[in-house]
Amino acid sequence: MKRLGAALAVAAVALTAAACGSGGGDGGDGGGASGEPVKLRFLSLAWQKESIEANKQIVADWNTANPNIQVEYVQGSWDNVNDQLVTSFEAGDPPDVIHDDSPALSSFASRGFLLDLTGKVPADLQNDIPQAAWDTVTFSDGKSGQGVYGVPFLQESQVLIANKKLLDDTGVRMPTPDSPWTWDEFADVSKKLTKKGAYGVAWPMKSPVNKVLNLALNFGGTFFDTKDGKTTVKVGPQEREVLQRIHDQLYADKSADPAALGMGTADPLPGFFAGKYAIVPAGVYLRQQVAEQAPGGFEWVTLPPLKGQTSQQGAVSQTLSVAADSKHPDEALKFIAYFLNGPNQAKLAKGDWLLPTSTSAAKDPALTTEENGWDVATASAKDLVVAPFLKVNGFDEWKSKVATPAMQEYFADKISLDELATRLVEEGNKVLERYSR
Amino acid sequence: MTAVAERPYGRAGGGPRRGPLSGSGLTLLLPALVPVLLFSVGPLVYGILLAFTDARSGRNTETSFVGLANFVELLSDGDFWESFRIGMVWGLSVTVLQFLASLGLALLLNQDLRLRGVARVLAVVPWAMPPVVVGLMWRLVYHPDAGLLNGLFGSDVDWLHDFSLALPAVIVVGVWTGMPQTTVVLLAGLQNVPRELYEAVSVDGAGAWRRFWNVTLPQLRPVIVAITSLDFVWNINQFSLVYVLTQGGPGGRTRLPMLFAYEEAFRYGFFGYAATLGVAITIVVLAVLGLYLWRQAQEGN
């Protein structure tokens, strides 16, 4: 009680301060026209060293070329960006340009905090990014319409990172983007790679939900069903495929190490380098840490995504959005259009070891080289489709309260697949109901 | 009681009794009253009112009065009860352990040791640290790869992310953080115990244990009741420490009620429901505290 009270008081003070600040800062009304440069704040979530450098460099270039629109780089963090944004949105003083990812945009869009960019994005940028990527940022506006609430720029796909020597020793077929492993083949290979003290695969499942939901599309599993505007959770045979297959590797085939379950994505790397795990499924960005930390002489390869009925994976994009409360939305869009042009997206993608949405950036030679698996990673972008959960209002709460603990227990073999399905659906629907009121 | 009633008549002038807020009295009170009303009572009342609405985060939301609907929802909210249970386990165990450890430390510091002054200062040091700094520091201690603890024991445990170890690990930090003020208050209490009492029981042939049990404890009783009640309220409302350490994870195993309310408000945007949580927790804390103080008063008589 006291805390909320205090928070509200702080918000009130912040509001007053913001009102005073904007009154004084503009130096009289129409400050922009009288030659004062427009000031934009850009909240960036870049965290890898190369990526922060690329971000700052692009901002600096812009500021030099545009003395009338000065952009201030504000460093944020993925850990708490959404809490931070809620408070700054509520206080009416958000950053003008906001870096976030598409799962977060849905709820901000429906609450009216973000500017609808429909028809405002310059044609060059609009055409450089394929429709599949725009779909990841198209959401309901909380009333009856739809809008585009961000510009998608970096995407992630799930690939396999493998110890080349162990694969060669076993003599398994090397998959290629045109002929990837199927899940069955993957299960076989993992068994062959499992020897005394060494496992074929390590599934780091500290945050299992997005991983499972994105891979489930391999078998057409969507996990959500929307009828007449009402969304419910569904866990049918298609959704169960990937869950069951991973579980089998852990407990039936014993080709996956149960001790890796509690790990975050990067945690299996020491075991991977030591030859304890032959294959680590991971997002393409993990290649950066592998390349940087691998001991001398260690040979590794990036293998293309697995194939179920299809190779489709749910795509989540990093995005740049404009706050609805921004006083200079047009200038903010101009900055975004520059920041995300082909050459800059190539720089950002290289900095974060992710895939650019820009089709011209994807042709950059640095992103198609065989070195560090860039060719395989970039090729996997073609199978990215919009993840169904992106459009679900209340997904974040479903994920943290219901799905994460339930999936962790399932993978730890504490509950059965049926129990998992029941929990995901029953408890899940209760959560989603709060958002449809 | 009578003394209070008599006071107005004892005043110089002896005129008719005046109301407490008439005329110039009110004017004089204003400067003090305004900040209190604006920054303390205002938000508090606003928060209580929010608890009876369906207020949500958003620019285009409409807020309406929903009566007790939030409280009804709360009663059937399994996550709330789980969080409440964790809060109680946390609040009680931290308070009890804190008290026991502090009592030991206070007794030690009350002895005629060499460098007693230095020791006393050292004992108070954690008090000077903000909870966020304490949290960051202990996160390093618990770090699975580079942490002090695993280094010391040669173990390989991810203390803050293990489902069964996270809560105990956080409780240890809670105890550590709250010890200074408990120790200082108990130490002050110890120094107020009259020496004659100890001399008297020594004459009767009582050993150290009897002296402690029959003199120190009864003499300290009012101080103990006061500091443990305050500690309990403080601990159950703890937020920043646990937020920095675990953010309520893993899988909600350290999600104290205040973290739960924070998530409801600032992560999911249900301001009304979060306010209800706040009100409910306040009521429960007051009830627990009331019961405890009432029992202590009974035994004291």
Side-chain angles (χ1 to χ4, degrees):
Chain A
M1 183 70 262
K2 254 193 213 149
R3 271 178 206 289
L4 190 65
L8 288 165
V10 169
V13 173
L15 259 176
T16 336
C20 297
S22 62
D26 279 357
D29 283 350
S34 65
E36 283 255 332
V38 166
K39 284 200 175 114
L40 298 175
R41 275 178 299 158
F42 166 41
L43 179 71
S44 165
L45 302 177
W47 59 276
Q48 305 214 41
K49 193 166 155 276
E50 303 164 51
S51 167
I52 293 177
E53 275 165 18
N55 269 269
K56 288 190 170 163
Q57 185 57 47
I58 300 174
V59 170
D61 291 348
W62 165 270
N63 282 340
T64 321
N66 296 276
N68 289 325
I69 309 176
Q70 289 295 300
V71 175
E72 182 194 349
Y73 180 94
V74 181
Q75 184 68 56
S77 154
W78 286 108
D79 291 340
N80 56 13
V81 62
N82 291 323
D83 298 2
Q84 181 192 349
L85 284 173
V86 168
T87 23
S88 64
F89 281 138
E90 288 290 336
D93 186 34
D96 301 278
V97 177
I98 297 162
H99 179 189
D100 207 331
D101 60 3
S102 44
L105 295 190
S106 155
S107 81
F108 288 140
S110 68
R111 294 186 222 164
F113 288 140
L114 298 175
L115 190 70
D116 180 5
L117 304 179
T118 314
K120 295 190 174 118
V121 180
D124 283 352
L125 183 62
Q126 179 82 39
N127 298 331
D128 194 25
I129 297 174
Q131 188 56 41
W134 286 111
D135 285 344
T136 64
V137 289
T138 307
F139 298 109
S140 150
D141 60 4
K143 284 168 265 174
S144 49
Q146 289 254 316
V148 173
Y149 290 97
V151 180
F153 68 106
L154 290 177
Q155 293 186 316
E156 175 186 330
S157 62
Q158 298 283 321
V159 291
L160 305 173
I161 295 176
N163 182 325
K164 187 160 186 305
K165 188 171 171 295
L166 291 181
L167 284 194
D168 289 344
D169 287 353
T170 328
V172 296
R173 177 182 80 86
M174 279 300 228
T176 63
D178 294 323
S179 164
W181 281 341
T182 62
W183 275 85
D184 291 332
E185 222 175 335
F186 173 57
D188 280 343
V189 170
S190 307
K191 272 193 270 184
K192 277 186 199 143
L193 289 166
T194 304
K195 290 168 190 130
K196 200 172 159 24
Y199 289 90
V201 58
W203 283 101
M205 284 295 187
K206 190 155 128 192
S207 324
V209 180
N210 283 42
K211 216 170 268 177
V212 168
L213 263 56
N214 286 332
L215 289 175
L217 283 176
N218 282 179
F219 295 92
T222 56
F223 278 90
F224 295 98
D225 210 7
T226 303
K227 268 196 206 106
D228 309 324
K230 193 173 183 282
T231 303
T232 50
V233 185
K234 97 177 157 92
V235 184
Q238 295 160 316
E239 283 76 18
R240 289 174 185 233
E241 282 283 348
V242 165
L243 286 166
Q244 180 73 60
R245 281 164 189 269
I246 297 175
H247 195 273
D248 281 350
Q249 288 198 316
L250 285 161
Y251 301 102
D253 302 350
K254 300 198 190 302
S255 58
D257 184 4
L261 284 175
M263 295 184 179
T265 306
D267 297 335
L269 286 185
F272 177 65
F273 296 140
K276 189 178 171 196
Y277 310 125
I279 303 174
V280 178
V284 284
Y285 69 90
L286 193 69
R287 292 171 304 134
Q288 189 256 347
Q289 272 147 293
V290 177
E292 200 165 83
Q293 297 167 12
F298 184 85
E299 276 187 278
W300 58 280
V301 283
T302 305
L303 304 179
L306 296 174
K307 185 173 183 234
Q309 287 153 1
T310 66
S311 287
Q312 284 191 347
Q313 287 186 11
V316 169
S317 325
Q318 292 188 26
T319 56
L320 290 188
S321 306
V322 180
D325 277 333
S326 167
K327 292 185 194 68
H328 308 290
D330 297 333
E331 288 83 354
L333 255 170
K334 269 186 215 159
F335 169 69
I336 291 179
Y338 170 77
F339 193 84
L340 298 184
N341 67 24
N344 283 341
Q345 275 208 35
K347 278 185 216 162
L348 294 169
K350 268 181 271 178
D352 259 333
W353 293 62
L354 286 167
L355 313 173
T357 55
S358 153
T359 40
S360 60
K363 293 192 189 106
D364 187 299
L367 300 186
T368 48
T369 162
E370 270 183 37
E371 197 184 336
N372 292 330
W374 273 107
D375 53 341
V376 175
T378 304
S380 69
K382 70 175 190 313
D383 290 317
L384 291 177
V385 294
V386 57
F389 65 79
L390 284 184
K391 316 277 176 183
V392 175
N393 216 344
F395 169 72
D396 188 29
E397 191 178 342
W398 176 77
K399 175 176 149 181
S400 69
K401 277 195 189 160
V402 182
T404 304
M407 283 191 192
Q408 282 172 343
E409 282 177 44
Y410 170 67
F411 286 126
D413 209 24
K414 288 187 183 133
I415 57 173
S416 71
L417 185 53
D418 285 331
E419 280 171 287
L420 171 68
T422 317
R423 273 176 66 177
L424 290 181
V425 172
E426 283 177 8
E427 292 174 24
N429 284 339
K430 232 184 272 172
V431 167
L432 295 188
E433 216 166 276
R434 298 177 83 188
Y435 292 82
S436 56
R437 273 179 222 157
Chain B
M1 202 59 224
T2 45
V4 174
E6 271 166 21
R7 214 181 275 155
Y9 300 100
R11 259 195 262 169
R17 190 176 170 177
R18 293 168 63 176
L21 283 182
S22 62
S24 60
L26 186 66
T27 327
L28 285 173
L29 258 180
L30 260 182
L33 210 57
V34 166
V36 172
L37 286 177
L38 203 64
F39 295 117
S40 186
V41 179
L44 204 67
V45 171
Y46 182 57
I48 294 175
L49 287 180
L50 263 185
F52 298 94
T53 67
D54 60 356
R56 288 178 64 169
S57 152
R59 270 160 56 102
N60 41 19
T61 50
E62 281 167 28
T63 303
S64 53
F65 184 75
V66 293
L68 290 173
N70 285 336
F71 288 91
V72 174
E73 194 183 329
L74 194 67
L75 288 180
S76 61
D77 186 343
D79 290 320
F80 165 69
W81 288 110
E82 178 58 20
S83 158
F84 182 69
R85 189 189 66 78
I86 293 169
M88 278 299 171
V89 170
W90 153 270
L92 290 174
S93 47
V94 171
T95 308
V96 169
L97 294 174
Q98 215 166 54
F99 166 68
L100 293 178
S102 300
L103 185 63
L105 190 60
L107 287 171
L108 200 67
L109 290 178
N110 200 34
Q111 304 294 320
D112 258 330
L113 303 169
R114 276 209 298 169
L115 298 176
R116 188 167 68 168
V118 180
R120 283 184 182 176
V121 171
L122 281 180
V124 182
V125 163
W127 204 356
M129 299 168 81
V132 174
V133 175
V134 173
L136 289 173
M137 194 181 83
W138 278 88
R139 237 166 62 174
L140 291 178
V141 172
Y142 283 134
H143 194 282
D145 298 326
L148 199 66
L149 210 57
N150 277 346
L152 216 59
F153 296 137
S155 54
D156 185 24
V157 181
D158 196 353
W159 300 93
L160 293 174
H161 294 107
D162 187 284
F163 273 59
S164 46
L165 287 176
L167 187 57
V170 172
I171 286 175
V172 168
V173 184
V175 172
W176 185 85
T177 318
M179 266 180 65
Q181 68 257 44
T182 316
T183 309
V184 166
V185 171
L186 289 175
L187 189 57
L190 280 175
Q191 287 169 351
N192 276 335
V193 179
R195 292 211 158 260
E196 303 86 68
L197 289 177
Y198 288 118
E199 285 159 15
V201 288
S202 298
V203 171
D204 290 346
W209 175 246
R210 287 293 299 268
R211 279 208 302 271
F212 172 73
W213 193 253
N214 288 337
V215 178
T216 313
L217 264 191
Q219 287 291 314
L220 270 185
R221 187 185 189 95
V223 176
I224 292 174
V225 171
I227 191 66
T228 45
S229 329
L230 286 174
D231 275 347
F232 177 71
V233 174
W234 168 253
N235 286 329
I236 201 131
N237 285 331
Q238 179 61 265
F239 174 84
S240 34
L241 190 64
V242 182
Y243 183 78
V244 173
L245 280 171
T246 63
Q247 299 215 323
R253 294 300 153 99
T254 57
R255 193 191 282 135
L256 304 185
M258 282 303 145
L259 281 163
F260 187 68
Y262 172 83
E263 277 185 4
E264 285 295 321
F266 294 104
R267 184 153 177 196
Y268 310 129
F270 295 100
F271 291 153
Y273 192 59
T276 310
L277 280 163
V279 172
I281 294 162
T282 311
I283 292 172
V284 170
V285 169
L286 287 180
V288 171
L289 212 57
L291 194 74
Y292 173 68
L293 291 178
W294 178 73
R295 276 207 49 188
Q296 290 298 322
Q298 294 268 306
E299 284 179 26
N301 286 340

